[in-house]
Amino acid sequence: ILDSGQNKNISLDDIFISVKTTKHYQYTRLPIILKTWYQLAKQQTWFFTDTENRQHQNQTNGHMVNTNCSASHQRKHLCCKMSVEYDRFLESGKKWFCHFDDDNYVNVPRLVSVLQKYNHQEDWYLGRTSIYEPVKIYKKATNQLMFSFWFATGGAGFCISRSLALKMLPVASGGRFISICEGIRLPDDVSVGFIIEHMLKKNLTLVPEFHSHLEQMKLLAPETFRDQISFSYAKAKDEWNVVNVPGFDTRYDPTRFLSLHCFLFPHFKFCPR
Ligand code: UDP
Ligand code: MN
């Protein structure tokens, strides 16, 4: 019998870490991940892409999944990837499904320690919202509010317990997730929220340690980096929204992820000493 919901027996190997990526980012975003946090979760991380790349397949010991989804930013194709991620998680038999984007840095030990606070045999949807009110769905003819729901921002990462993922099975497995997305005409992460909060009536649990580039990364204080689960970066016009961390030259490390990795794990070979 588990004491107070503390699940110390959860380890990295119980987590299925999925990363959504695409052909267009295979030589920019992917190499940064492969050099940094992926090295701490090689057996547990899977990349969901839309192209074949023998070099990356070798580098990841076959962990690149070609989803055969189109390489485009359209809703249908992004939902196609999420659908494959979810199906692969179900097949894996693991206790937690954690999704990230390829512009996320995942602080692997922290992800494990946070999940230890929750019981995978209960229904958990953990993540961070990026909007200040829930998504509202109105009746077309009368403009009447039908229902509203929250969702976890995909670009910050989110985790779903196996118990909850199994409850999603009838509506989301085997590609049915794509039909849900198309039905409500909302992006993949919003559709996950729709299924969990609206259809299954389970609430999102806010875990503020997940971060997307919808936040200002420079506002995160270095003293707290170790406590954060994920980080991100983005470039808008000429301005980078990046973590403020000491380390490599910005020309060499514009995303700051190499510096962040060395801040957290200074013993890595490529880190200065
Ligand atoms: N992505 C994709 N196909 C595309 C464009 C983007 O799978 O055609 C993935 C990308 O690899 C990333 C996520 O979708 O994991 C979000 O993409 P991006 O950061 O470019 O856009 P954002 O939605 O954050 O502005
Ligand atoms: Mn992004």
Side-chain angles (χ1 to χ4, degrees):
I1 295 167
L2 284 168
D3 210 30
S4 70
Q6 274 262 328
N7 229 344
K8 279 279 186 274
N9 55 347
I10 285 278
S11 73
L12 176 56
D13 219 27
D14 297 314
I15 310 173
F16 184 89
I17 302 176
S18 77
V19 179
K20 177 169 67 175
T21 187
T22 185
K23 185 178 179 182
H24 184 65
Y25 295 137
Q26 63 181 329
Y27 298 120
T28 50
R29 295 183 179 188
L30 193 62
I32 299 171
I33 296 179
L34 294 181
K35 188 170 178 174
T36 60
W37 66 264
Y38 166 75
Q39 295 300 321
L40 299 170
K42 285 186 187 179
Q43 299 308 312
Q44 297 77 21
T45 305
W46 297 84
F47 297 93
F48 293 82
T49 188
D50 40 43
T51 187
E52 289 292 344
N53 182 319
R54 177 115 40 95
Q55 187 207 334
H56 288 149
Q57 205 59 272
N58 289 339
Q59 263 180 289
T60 61
N61 193 25
H63 280 221
M64 303 292 308
V65 178
N66 186 352
T67 57
N68 291 316
C69 302
S70 302
S72 103
H73 204 45
Q74 286 174 51
R75 179 184 62 237
K76 195 205 250 167
H77 305 135
L78 295 179
C79 287
C80 174
K81 264 182 204 151
M82 180 67 76
S83 165
V84 179
E85 290 175 49
Y86 170 73
D87 282 343
R88 279 297 188 99
F89 162 71
L90 288 180
E91 281 169 35
S92 75
K94 303 234 179 199
K95 296 175 179 167
W96 287 95
F97 170 44
C98 296
H99 159 96
F100 295 94
D101 278 359
D102 59 6
D103 51 6
N104 282 135
Y105 179 96
V106 181
N107 185 6
V108 174
R110 185 60 181 154
L111 175 66
V112 176
S113 68
V114 170
L115 291 184
Q116 284 174 344
K117 298 183 207 168
Y118 303 91
N119 188 341
H120 71 278
Q121 293 170 322
E122 295 168 2
D123 299 331
W124 291 106
Y125 174 32
L126 310 174
R128 183 189 179 106
T129 58
S130 299
I131 48 177
Y132 297 100
E133 43 179 48
V135 179
K136 291 177 177 152
I137 305 290
Y138 296 90
K139 202 172 252 167
K140 215 177 179 178
T142 60
N143 236 5
Q144 244 184 325
L145 181 66
M146 289 204 289
F147 57 86
S148 62
F149 61 90
W150 292 99
F151 70 96
T153 301
F158 60 79
C159 296
I160 297 173
S161 64
R162 182 155 202 95
S163 166
L164 179 55
L166 288 172
K167 295 195 169 110
M168 297 165 66
L169 202 144
V171 289
S173 67
R176 280 178 279 256
F177 181 75
I178 304 171
S179 314
I180 299 271
C181 279
E182 285 304 287
I184 59 167
R185 310 195 148 269
L186 289 170
D188 51 355
D189 52 355
V190 188
S191 298
V192 170
F194 170 79
I195 292 172
I196 296 174
E197 284 228 328
H198 178 67
M199 299 180 87
L200 300 176
K201 306 288 180 220
K202 306 284 177 183
N203 288 334
L204 169 67
T205 298
L206 290 179
V207 177
E209 290 93 343
F210 288 100
H211 300 284
S212 79
H213 54 67
L214 295 173
E215 300 163 57
Q216 283 205 60
M217 285 297 114
K218 66 176 180 211
L219 297 182
L220 291 173
E223 314 86 78
T224 72
F225 287 171
R226 235 162 260 291
D227 304 327
Q228 312 303 337
I229 297 171
S230 62
F231 303 83
S232 190
Y233 62 81
K235 193 187 175 187
K237 289 184 196 138
D238 290 327
E239 265 218 69
W240 284 88
N241 175 9
V242 290
V243 174
N244 185 15
V245 59
F248 297 109
D249 191 282
T250 51
R251 276 165 300 181
Y252 172 66
D253 181 25
T255 72
R256 308 313 288 153
F257 276 9
L258 302 179
S259 302
L260 175 61
H261 188 72
C262 291
F263 183 96
L264 292 170
F265 307 101
H267 60 274
F268 258 64
K269 264 204 220 80
F270 72 83
C271 299
R273 62 197 73 225

